[in-house]
Amino acid sequence: MKALWVFLLFSGPAQADVLFLDLNNNPMEIEAARSAISKRNRAENLQEQLVIYPPEMPANVRNSLNRLNRERDAAAQRLNRCDTQGCRQQAGETLSNLYLEIDEVSGPYVYSEEKFRELLASQVSAGKTFSSVIASGHDGTGNISGTRGTISDTTLAASLGAFPNLANSIRTLHLWGCYTTAPGSLLTNWKKHFPNIALITGFQGRAPLGDRPAGHEYLRGVLEREHEMLASTDVIKLQRLLNGISSVRLLDGPAINRCDQLIRIDSTVNLREMLHSCEGKRTEFEERKKVFDCYFRATGEGCENPPSNTSASDLRSFYGYLYDSAGACSVLPGFGEILATASTEKTLRLIFFREVTKNFQRLYGPTLTEVDTVLAELGAPPALRFSGLKDLSRQDLLQRLDMLTTFIDTALTTIAADRSPEGALRQAKLFMLREFHTTLVNTLMNLRTDCVPFEWIEPNANVTGSCVDTQSLGAQGVARRVSDPNTFGYDRLFGMDEAFDRRIRNLRANPAGRSPTAAAAELELLQVRRALAREPTTNATRVEALEIRNRRAERLMALAGEGVENLEAHPEIRALTHQFNLHSLDIRGETMFEPEHRALIQIERELANPSVPPARRADLRARFQSLQEQLTQALVVAKRSEPTYMLNVLRAQAPTPARDAAIAQHQVELDRLARLTPAEKEALFNEYFLRLMPMPAN
């Protein structure tokens, strides 16, 4: 997207020069400005000079950079073709050295905030102002960038504002960029940060590329007519001056803003009146936003990827709509929040999604390769790889990220209890992949403007993303976690919990064809493994108890897979249940007979110690038998409570056949409980005593 700003400063008797901020290295635009300034000087007896910053790039420097850029592109292609670590390392070093050389050669000719302010200070010290400030670059939502740096509307306003006399002399902005004089851009960017400007000219639609003569002629024309435009507020005259520039009919939406009027070659709009109509645009915005949602979510038919034509598509039309009418409403209370769901910044990055992913792969290709190596080492399916990221559609990338989430969650919850060095290494690799997943989501799927530099919409950007920490990804990320106990501990605490929570939540919401028994068994296994992952290794007793519980849960899963029903009555499960109970004395639950239950387990544990003297052993057996009898009697009483209660309720009701049948049924149950045989009492006791104790609480 081509952009060219011209800031015209109208001054008094002090000499006023023209500042050209050449961010895109465009000598043809500089020549157009020189021509217009020369004509103005002759016609109005002025002595304006063109001050260019960054300095003009000599031909030999430009040729050197062109050569280095070709070598850089070739090195990047070699790196992408590498299939060995040695090749990747060599190609990566070559590419890094080329970037350093490019930075060294271009350094003096790249925008610097410090150098820019030094230039402004020297202009003020010489008693000069600027009649015009021109900045050539690629425009996007208030950012101007190119091969020679980036400057935003806020930064420019702040730099000029540091010199009040200079800032106050500014009368005109000529914004040569896409949608720069669209209502949304005017109200949210330029008129907001330059409130004293009298005239703004530019494009309500797309600006031409820098090599288009029509764009140069438009620049020449507005510079030559600047003072006439400033001298008039008559809409008809201003429109006539605009149409008097020969090239405007060849351009997409050239427009000028004088006071509250937006003047186009064939129509005019009052910005204040436009704001009054915003209330009705809420519904309109939601309807138009469906185009954005289609490509952003990448889930519907035909929405797999943003259109390849970045200049003409339904998504590009929505971007223009944001600037044209909806964007103007963002200055009103409440509208900013509505429009933020599909902002101009995010929409622009979505339009150029292909270029964004290409830049991501070019900048982080070695990291992507290392991630793929880790995935292969962990046994991930071959389809789960990211080295070819630049060739994926948004829908493909979304599906691959979903696959990565499932793989990480399954692997983490499977090895959560593995505390061996090998297990720790596998977990470190999985935690690195989790951060890689978050990085891709924030950068490429959510297209967060703080994560995706504006420069990434253009080829061969060398600005890195703020949300990509290469030291935490790839081989470095794994090594960092293995060597740093704090980082690894944090990942275990929160990463494990996140994985378990997601799997438990998904299992409850969608059993996916599992039988109720199998689903319950898998849920038990996940909950046990989560508790085991949380437990510090210093608490050996609790860890041992949970490991028994984990074996029990794994056996539950296996038996459920074999179709076994009534799992709790299975001999293996009962044995593991009892074994767990013997190791869980530090557990506090809220069961009716827990004190008796715990006392019996304590006796069993002591009896299991071969060093207990015979007298003590006999005493323990007697206590166990006494407690067993007490607990059995209490269990019988508890069993009798429900039918007794129901008999009392039923006998208070009017006689009916159904009521009499129910009374008889409950009476039979009471009589059965009153005549329990010793074997039945022992079965009742075992049913309770072999019940699983509560799991350790964290």
Side-chain angles (χ1 to χ4, degrees), residues 119-421:
L119 182 145
L120 297 178
S122 66
Q123 189 79 358
V124 172
S125 297
K128 300 178 181 180
T129 62
F130 291 121
S131 64
S132 308
V133 179
I134 308 169
S136 172
H138 299 282
D139 171 59
T141 62
N143 291 289
I144 304 295
S145 77
T147 58
R148 305 181 70 187
T150 300
I151 189 171
S152 68
D153 50 355
T154 54
T155 303
L156 183 62
S159 297
L160 293 171
F163 306 92
N165 291 336
L166 193 62
N168 291 336
S169 68
I170 299 176
R171 297 291 308 282
T172 308
L173 305 179
H174 292 255
L175 308 174
W176 250 240
C178 297
Y179 309 105
T180 49
T181 51
S185 181
L186 286 170
L187 293 172
T188 60
N189 297 111
W190 308 113
K191 292 177 78 68
K192 174 182 177 181
H193 297 298
F194 297 90
N196 298 323
I197 295 301
L199 174 70
I200 302 176
T201 74
F203 295 85
Q204 187 170 350
R206 294 186 300 276
L209 295 174
D211 58 357
R212 287 279 306 279
H216 310 155
E217 182 60 31
Y218 183 23
L219 170 61
R220 192 193 323 271
V222 293
L223 286 171
E224 291 174 355
R225 293 162 176 76
E226 172 202 343
H227 293 161
E228 284 186 88
M229 291 179 175
L230 280 170
S232 177
T233 57
D234 182 84
V235 172
I236 295 176
K237 181 177 180 180
L238 290 166
Q239 192 173 52
R240 187 168 63 248
L241 287 170
L242 176 62
N243 280 292
I245 301 171
S246 60
S247 65
V248 293
R249 295 282 173 181
L250 303 176
L251 300 171
D252 183 10
I256 63 177
N257 166 232
R258 184 76 171 96
C259 301
D260 291 327
Q261 295 293 333
L262 179 60
I263 301 152
R264 298 174 287 210
I265 59 176
D266 53 5
S267 62
T268 62
V269 174
N270 186 288
L271 296 177
R272 288 186 181 273
E273 293 177 0
M274 176 176 282
L275 288 177
H276 291 316
S277 68
C278 280
E279 189 58 37
K281 293 187 180 296
R282 294 177 188 266
T283 303
E284 177 184 280
F285 171 75
E286 291 298 334
E287 184 62 29
R288 295 286 296 267
K289 180 174 171 282
K290 291 178 180 178
V291 171
F292 171 88
D293 291 339
C294 164
Y295 297 115
F296 186 75
R297 296 172 182 168
T299 53
E301 185 178 352
C303 301
E304 297 83 1
N305 220 23
S308 57
N309 188 337
T310 59
S311 299
S313 68
D314 51 356
L315 185 59
R316 188 70 191 225
S317 297
F318 174 72
Y319 182 66
Y321 164 75
L322 289 177
Y323 270 117
D324 185 25
S325 54
C329 302
S330 64
V331 300
L332 298 179
F335 261 93
E337 292 78 3
I338 296 173
L339 296 176
T341 59
S343 65
T344 52
E345 293 89 346
K346 189 169 289 189
T347 304
L348 180 65
R349 286 156 174 80
L350 184 60
I351 290 172
F352 290 95
F353 176 74
R354 287 176 174 83
E355 208 60 60
V356 168
T357 55
K358 288 178 183 177
N359 277 310
F360 188 96
Q361 174 145 350
R362 190 175 52 78
L363 291 167
Y364 305 110
T367 299
L368 293 173
T369 302
E370 290 177 4
V371 166
D372 280 0
T373 300
V374 170
L375 284 166
E377 291 170 350
L378 291 172
L384 186 53
R385 300 291 187 271
F386 293 90
S387 292
L389 183 144
K390 65 182 178 63
D391 299 318
L392 298 179
S393 68
R394 271 184 75 79
Q395 190 174 89
D396 290 338
L397 181 56
L398 178 64
Q399 292 171 352
R400 202 155 296 190
L401 287 170
D402 287 343
M403 286 176 60
L404 182 59
T405 297
T406 301
F407 175 76
I408 293 171
D409 288 352
T410 303
L412 274 177
T413 53
T414 300
I415 65 172
D418 188 349
R419 298 176 184 271
S420 67

Side-chain angles (χ1 to χ4, degrees), residues 54-55 103 124 242 303 348 424 439 466 490 554 653 673:
D103 289 343
V124 172
L242 176 62
C303 301
L348 180 65
T439 299
S466 62
Y490 179 89
E554 289 175 345
Q653 297 175 2
L673 291 171

Side-chain angles (χ1 to χ4, degrees), residues 504-560:
I504 289 171
R505 194 165 54 246
N506 291 341
L507 178 61
R508 284 172 171 162
N510 181 23
R514 301 172 180 84
S515 68
T517 301
E522 186 172 349
L523 184 60
E524 161 83 358
L525 181 62
L526 290 172
Q527 290 171 331
V528 171
R529 285 180 174 170
R530 176 169 61 180
L532 190 53
R534 289 173 172 174
E535 193 62 54
T537 55
T538 53
N539 196 337
T541 302
R542 288 165 68 87
V543 169
E544 185 178 2
L546 283 169
E547 286 175 344
I548 297 169
R549 183 83 176 244
N550 185 56
R551 291 199 297 273
R552 177 186 183 277
E554 289 175 345
R555 191 60 188 138
L556 277 173
M557 280 281 293
L559 291 170

